[in-house]
Amino acid sequence: MHTFELHTLRMAELHRRAEQERLVQEAARARRVARRAARHPGRKEAEGPLSTDRKRFVHAA
């Protein structure tokens, strides 16, 4: 029974650490999105590139 209790405590600790890591990564992702939104206030994240006109460049000889 002692081994099972140690295993249960260890698993609970690992679950807490994993949840903490997920929260840290989520906060970092939210900061990146906020910085990106501050740099480009009118731009949405789901939109593509601003310019899709590929004919404006001349082909190399």
Side-chain angles (χ1 to χ4, degrees):
M1 190 66 177
H2 181 69
T3 304
F4 177 73
E5 290 172 355
L6 288 176
H7 173 71
T8 304
L9 290 173
R10 177 73 176 145
M11 289 303 296
E13 176 64 25
L14 289 175
H15 284 290
R16 281 191 294 273
R17 286 185 184 182
E19 180 62 25
Q20 183 179 12
E21 285 294 319
R22 280 191 291 272
L23 288 174
V24 166
Q25 290 174 0
E26 184 179 327
R29 191 176 306 118
R31 282 193 307 268
R32 281 193 304 269
V33 168
R35 282 196 311 262
R36 210 171 286 140
R39 283 193 304 247
H40 307 288
R43 184 175 173 189
K44 294 182 182 176
E45 289 299 319
E47 293 180 1
L50 296 177
S51 175
T52 58
D53 186 18
R54 295 191 179 266
K55 295 180 181 179
R56 63 184 177 172
F57 294 108
V58 178
H59 290 285

